Amino acid sequence: MIEGKTPRQFTGWHMLMVFGGAFTVIIGVNIALAVNAVRTFPGLEVKNSYVASQSFDARRDAQQALGWSVYASAVGDQVKLEITDADGAPVEVAALHATLGRATHVKDDQTPDFRFDGTAYVAPAELSAGNWNIRMVAQAEDGTEFTQRVILHVAR
């Protein structure tokens, strides 16, 4: 200590500055995370939930009447989507559209070009390890729409 100088005191104002700075950092990080979460995943499934709800029961019943089951797998750079009927026989649909992506963001979304090989639908896809979702919309020969989100786990 230098002679003649008094040591600096840690006052209530200093404590107020420490608390104010800490809370500013915490609130700033929370705001940044919330903005990024909303920007990358809007959470929108349908544009108007009321309108979608009016035909939900009829669409669900028609889809369940098909008796289809769907299983997804990945081998190498290929994604396989197996659609089977109630007896376990492969189903060839009239039309198939699918989006392959992560559940949390859309930047990795892909639209695989699925081709029926006689037993399943197969498409090339670039997949890293982790959980993926296949959001598929298939149309039966009678025009019934079949929609399902199929979870695909890729282990590398």
Side-chain angles (χ1 to χ4, degrees):
M1 178 164 66
I2 301 175
E3 233 175 279
K5 291 243 179 181
T6 57
R8 294 187 77 184
Q9 297 291 323
F10 188 77
T11 66
W13 286 109
H14 292 114
M15 194 64 197
L16 180 63
M17 297 286 198
V18 168
F19 271 102
F23 278 106
T24 300
V25 168
I26 291 168
I27 291 169
V29 168
N30 282 333
I31 289 171
L33 290 173
V35 166
N36 193 35
V38 170
R39 183 175 51 83
T40 59
F41 184 65
L44 183 66
E45 289 289 329
V46 294
K47 290 183 181 182
N48 186 327
S49 58
Y50 176 75
V51 172
S53 73
Q54 299 306 298
S55 61
F56 176 80
D57 289 336
R59 287 183 289 127
R60 182 197 59 213
D61 293 344
Q63 180 170 317
Q64 286 178 340
L66 292 172
W68 291 356
S69 297
V70 182
Y71 175 75
S73 59
V75 178
D77 63 347
Q78 296 283 313
V79 176
K80 188 180 202 180
L81 193 59
E82 299 173 70
I83 305 172
T84 56
D85 63 14
D87 298 324
V91 174
E92 185 173 6
V93 298
L96 175 66
H97 176 74
T99 302
L100 174 64
R102 301 284 191 175
T104 54
H105 57 81
V106 296
K107 76 174 185 176
D108 292 334
D109 279 7
Q110 307 170 39
T111 307
D113 185 22
F114 282 105
R115 302 283 182 208
F116 190 67
D117 69 0
T119 59
Y121 286 88
V122 181
E126 296 178 26
L127 300 174
S128 56
N131 288 324
W132 292 81
N133 285 333
I134 300 175
R135 295 178 300 277
M136 62 167 279
V137 178
Q139 187 176 16
E141 293 294 333
D142 66 359
T144 303
E145 187 176 88
F146 182 89
T147 60
Q148 191 165 352
R149 179 178 59 95
V150 184
I151 298 173
L152 171 64
H153 181 74
V154 177
R156 298 261 183 227

